[in-house]
Amino acid sequence: MTNTSLISEEQWSRIRSKAGLPQFAAAVGLLRGEVEDFFARPVDVQALPGGYYHDYFCPQHAVQLVFEPDSPTVHRCPVDGATFSGEPFDSAWRWSVNNRLAESALRMAVLWKLEGEERNRQSVQEILLGYADAYEGYKAYEGWRPDNHGVAQFSTLDEAVWSIPLAWSYDLIRSTLGEAEQKEIVDKLLRPAAEFLIARHFGGIHNFACWHNAAIGTIGAVTGSEALLAFAIDGEYGFHTQAREGILADGLWFEGSFSYHFYTVAALLLLAKATANLPAWDLREHPALAAVLRAPVLCAYPDGSLPATNDCWYFTGLNDDCCHGVPKAPAFYEIGNAWFDEPLFGKVLARAYRHGPRESLDALLYGDTELESGSEEGVTLPSVQMPASGYAVLRTQPEGEALRSEANEQYVLLKYGVHGGGHGHPDKLGLTVYARGERQAPDLGTPGYGIDLFQGWYRQTVSHNTVVLDGKSQPAGTGRSIAFRADGPFQVADAAIRWGEDDVGGIDAPTYGVDEEAPEVYDGVAMRRAVLARGDYFVDIFMVDAEGERRIDWIFRNRGVLAPLGDGVPIVPAELKGDGYEYIDNLSTRPALGNIVLDWQFGTTGMKVFMAETDETPLYAGPAPGNPAEDVQDLIVRQRNASRAAFVSVFHPYKDSPRIVSVTWHGSDLIGAGWAACTVEGSDESELWIVRSGPEVEIPAWLGDLPASNRFEYSLEE
């Protein structure tokens, strides 16, 4: 196989023409700026390999430290300016050095292809030859390394990510190198990196494996190696196997994290880009590539950000950053819009570029010259169920507001499906709420992996809006959908799980940070949650059958400050034992005194929760870490000691002032009597809700005589 350039000269001619157009001025400007920043703040190839990226986080604030290229031994927290030195911070700093060198080499090579400035080409050559000279020596490093360690970088994953832009950089300047220089870079850097990754390939379905394949295949394309391409694409755990077994039927990557979804998609697209000029290996027509770009759009919040499910970075979204170490999300949709006949991708780009400039390298290299202008209302999406992943998303609009917009849509996500492998969180039947332009009750996702809060709080069930038994975090499990309805007078998301009976396996299924006794606590336990959404509120029913008395904690955490419960209510300090409960600060409790109304206030928005309670339901409350950790959010615990329990609530997110005045409970005994009913009193109308545990349950005749503008009924039959 002869060497074929990753981007042909004919393609470069078109790219140079695009670079002169106004619509690509921001992309060219950013490219020049990144190159100038490298020369203003240079780094050299290091004598020692890089350390662990996740160690470069402040232990107190759970935020990434500020990387300064000229500060190898002093590392600053952006929150309070505190500095850290020594290990593991110094080694983690070298991870960023390697990343900066590789990414800068690619950008300098691209800018040289566009403008021909020798300074840029010469720097790329120096970086490549510098790593070729140092690579063999990295193998002798005696510092701590994981089992899946890399050579220049901490892990084989880091090694793969680092080697891809170096392979591209070599391809772009190869024609200017002498035969001896080409041989040195290929034989001492690129081929050894590919061979190392083959020898330590993940050997399973995982984002690691996808990045290993992307690096091996890219180096194969650059060096003309059919063997490397065959391994990366058609091998036992190559591209086709990853796409078939790792991408679920709904288009989402099995790990259940939108940032890991994009992290994996980045690797898949890199391999497709590397093979685009190799007809025998071209992957662009693979149907999975369009599906993996479409799926996160369907799950996005109204403003284009994404729920931070499982080990997901909280900032992940479609308008800007979607994960560390990959391009911003619009870059993915530049490729999708150019390669696939999918109008939705153009709409995503139109919205993204109302929020920020069209400045990605992929826009310049692959993007269409003209994009659709989009609409001012943004990307309007339907309610959707992702059945393979186990996400049900209900989208409703407040009554009387005919125009759908990002500012007024109510979005509720019920998470019930597969665990997500090693990056899964123990939060079956967890609830996430976005409304009135804000993340009201968000999933917190994850901070850096190197801090205590990661395992102690973010990966515990108590940090999610679901139920905890006996203070023990849930074990891995796979729930199932019972009902989903996106039309009619109200929308429905109804799901359940029974541990020990349902499929709790899946791909690479173990949980992290969960007490070993937790599976016994949950063995045979059944839980069910039904969300009934309408306009600007929703009814929530959570039922638990524990087959034996348990401490049942119903958790809800909302952004903002929980308003005082009122005068005369006895509130006393309290303590609750359990996995992660120690991170709830200043916990207090109050006894159940009939029905309860809670009100969180966050800026001009708020969340009212109306709860039907009994004398057996004490209420606990206290501030707990958000993400970042200093974004404290008030959390409540409704607790019952019983073998069976049902928690019934009405949630009303609002802006400025609540529309719902009150909720009158007519009965909430779904366990005994088998029915619950309430009247939701709005400022302009009242609506009666009746929920039965099954169709055979008889309800009191007097419910039919209650005045109401609208009547809604739902049966929990299966």
Side-chain angles (χ1 to χ4, degrees):
M1 174 179 164
T2 59
N3 291 332
T4 301
S5 297
L6 300 179
I7 299 177
S8 69
E9 282 306 315
E10 180 182 354
Q11 291 167 325
W12 274 114
S13 179
R14 291 196 294 270
I15 293 167
R16 293 186 187 102
S17 296
K18 286 164 56 179
L21 298 176
Q23 52 265 55
F24 296 101
V28 175
L30 178 62
L31 179 63
R32 289 174 179 153
E34 290 172 332
V35 169
E36 289 305 318
D37 179 73
F38 176 79
F39 284 110
R41 302 189 304 152
V43 287
D44 297 320
V45 173
Q46 300 291 296
L48 298 175
Y52 188 36
Y53 163 78
H54 289 282
D55 282 334
Y56 212 64
F57 280 74
C58 173
Q60 179 180 353
H61 298 103
V63 295
Q64 187 172 342
L65 301 177
V66 178
F67 170 73
E68 295 292 351
D70 61 350
S71 185
T73 59
V74 179
H75 317 284
R76 178 170 54 85
C77 172
V79 176
D80 61 1
T83 58
F84 304 87
S85 297
E87 295 300 337
F89 305 103
D90 294 355
S91 293
W93 177 86
R94 294 197 300 273
W95 182 98
S96 291
V97 169
N98 287 334
N99 180 69
R100 181 173 176 81
L101 284 166
E103 290 293 337
S104 296
L106 173 59
R107 281 151 180 77
M108 288 187 289
V110 170
L111 193 58
W112 172 75
K113 290 291 288 187
L114 289 176
E115 300 178 346
E117 186 174 351
E118 174 60 18
R119 175 193 68 164
N120 296 331
R121 191 210 65 80
Q122 181 64 35
S123 292
V124 176
Q125 179 177 322
E126 290 171 0
I127 291 170
L128 291 170
L129 290 172
Y131 275 124
D133 183 58
Y135 196 74
E136 181 65 27
Y138 289 150
K139 296 178 181 178
Y141 177 63
E142 296 181 353
W144 180 77
R145 291 184 183 235
D147 291 339
N148 67 324
H149 67 81
V151 177
Q153 288 285 62
F154 180 74
S155 70
T156 55
L157 172 63
D158 300 322
E159 192 84 359
V161 173
W162 164 81
S163 65
I164 293 170
L166 292 177
W168 273 80
S169 302
Y170 169 73
D171 183 73
L172 295 177
I173 71 163
R174 172 168 39 191
S175 63
T176 70
L177 299 173
E179 184 175 340
E181 293 166 325
Q182 291 185 38
K183 180 176 176 57
E184 183 173 1
I185 293 168
V186 171
D187 291 350
K188 295 177 66 177
L189 175 62
L190 298 182
R191 281 205 182 107
E195 290 165 359
F196 182 85
L197 291 172
I198 287 175
R200 292 178 172 269
H201 195 275
F202 185 82
I205 308 301
H206 201 272
N207 66 77
F208 273 39
C210 293
W211 278 98
H212 292 169
N213 294 336
I216 295 163
T218 299
I219 293 172
V222 167
T223 61
S225 171
E226 293 273 1
L228 294 181
L229 285 164
F231 182 94
I233 296 173
D234 293 334
E236 182 180 5
Y237 294 106
F239 177 96
H240 292 300
T241 302
Q242 300 295 327
R244 182 176 63 252
E245 299 182 18
I247 299 171
L248 302 179
D250 52 33
L252 291 174
W253 183 246
F254 81 92
E255 291 177 289
S257 158
F258 288 100
S259 53
Y260 273 105
H261 176 88
F262 279 106
Y263 194 60
T264 303
V265 173
L268 299 176
L269 289 178
L270 279 166
L271 188 52
K273 287 192 286 187
T275 58
N277 288 334
L278 301 173
W281 300 103
D282 191 352
L283 296 170
R284 289 174 296 173
E285 295 300 317
H286 197 291
L289 293 181
V292 293
L293 292 173
R294 187 183 305 110
V297 180
L298 299 178
C299 298
Y301 290 140
D303 66 350
S305 56
L306 284 160
T309 52
N310 288 355
D311 280 346
C312 181
W313 298 111
Y314 192 72
F315 59 73
T316 298
L318 301 175
N319 300 328
D320 204 309
D321 288 322
C322 58
C323 187
H324 288 306
V326 302
K328 294 181 178 182
F332 290 78
Y333 290 95
E334 289 282 3
I335 296 170
N337 189 58
W339 287 2
F340 309 116
D341 182 19
E342 175 53 86
L344 185 60
F345 298 161
K347 294 178 180 178
V348 170
L349 289 175
R351 177 176 60 190
Y353 295 142
R354 288 200 299 274
H355 291 266
R358 189 184 186 190
E359 61 181 7
S360 71
L361 187 59
D362 283 314
L364 179 61
L365 298 181
Y366 299 98
D368 288 343
T369 301
E370 300 296 335
L371 297 176
E372 66 171 83
S373 59
S375 63
E376 292 303 316
E377 292 77 32
V379 182
T380 57
L381 297 166
S383 296
V384 65
Q385 181 164 225
M386 312 298 280
S389 300
Y391 297 149
V393 176
L394 303 181
R395 305 174 188 269
T396 58
Q397 293 288 315
E399 297 296 318
E401 298 184 25
L403 181 64
R404 292 191 62 178
S405 72
E406 298 174 1
N408 61 22
E409 183 176 285
Q410 176 180 268
Y411 168 113
V412 184
L413 184 152
L414 177 60
K415 181 175 183 279
Y416 63 85
V418 294
H419 180 68
H423 289 295
H425 281 197
D427 62 340
K428 284 297 163 287
L429 305 187
L431 205 63
T432 296
V433 183
Y434 179 107
R436 298 299 187 176
E438 298 285 355
R439 299 189 193 193
Q440 292 281 355
D443 198 322
L444 296 178
T446 184
Y449 295 169
I451 64 173
D452 291 341
L453 277 167
F454 169 57
Q455 295 285 9
W457 173 248
Y458 295 100
R459 276 190 164 182
Q460 302 297 336
T461 303
V462 71
S463 68
H464 301 80
N465 295 325
T466 184
V467 160
V468 183
L469 296 186
D470 287 349
K472 301 295 184 182
S473 285
Q474 298 173 0
T478 300
R480 58 192 175 91
S481 174
I482 293 175
F484 179 81
R485 190 173 76 203
D487 55 6
F490 61 92
Q491 299 185 22
V492 177
D494 189 346
I497 182 170
R498 183 185 296 274
W499 281 276
E501 179 178 289
D502 294 280
D503 172 23
V504 297
I507 303 171
D508 189 24
T511 51
Y512 286 97
V514 177
D515 191 290
E516 291 182 358
E517 296 178 8
E520 282 188 26
V521 172
Y522 287 85
D523 190 33
V525 170
M527 294 185 185
R528 180 173 179 181
R529 190 168 209 165
V531 179
L532 317 176
R534 176 170 167 78
D536 58 355
Y537 72 94
F538 60 94
V539 179
D540 176 55
I541 303 104
F542 202 124
M543 302 182 69
V544 180
D545 185 348
E547 296 189 343
E549 185 167 309
R550 297 280 191 271
R551 188 188 106 198
I552 304 173
D553 290 349
W554 181 96
I555 310 294
F556 183 70
R557 170 190 39 75
N558 205 85
R559 292 181 74 187
V561 177
L562 182 61
L565 296 177
D567 295 335
V569 178
I571 301 174
V572 297
E575 183 180 6
L576 285 176
K577 298 290 186 180
D579 297 334
Y581 283 69
E582 66 271 22
Y583 291 99
I584 306 173
D585 198 18
N586 296 320
L587 193 69
S588 62
T589 185
R590 55 151 287 177
L593 297 175
N595 301 323
I596 296 173
V597 181
L598 300 177
D599 191 358
W600 281 262
Q601 295 163 358
F602 179 67
T604 60
T605 67
M607 172 72 80
K608 295 200 79 167
V609 181
F610 304 83
M611 302 184 297
E613 298 301 1
T614 68
D615 292 341
E616 294 80 33
T617 309
L619 180 70
Y620 298 84
N627 195 349
E630 66 267 19
D631 178 25
V632 174
Q633 302 174 10
D634 282 338
L635 174 148
I636 65 161
V637 181
R638 298 158 77 184
Q639 187 178 100
R640 294 180 190 166
N641 288 283
S643 60
R644 301 177 70 200
F647 301 90
V648 187
S649 318
V650 173
F651 288 75
H652 172 47
Y654 64 88
K655 187 174 180 64
D656 296 326
S657 61
R659 184 188 67 83
I660 294 177
V661 178
S662 65
V663 173
T664 302
W665 298 97
H666 309 297
S668 59
D669 189 6
L670 281 166
I671 300 299
W675 62 273
C678 66
T679 299
V680 178
E681 300 281 356
S683 56
D684 51 355
E685 62 181 5
S686 63
E687 298 183 332
L688 175 65
W689 290 83
I690 301 172
V691 177
R692 307 174 193 242
S693 60
E696 75 288 348
V697 172
E698 293 187 7
I699 59 174
W702 54 264
L703 282 175
D705 298 329
L706 292 175
S709 305
N710 298 295
R711 298 170 185 270
F712 309 113
E713 187 166 336
Y714 186 70
S715 175
L716 293 167
E717 65 179 314
E718 296 197 28

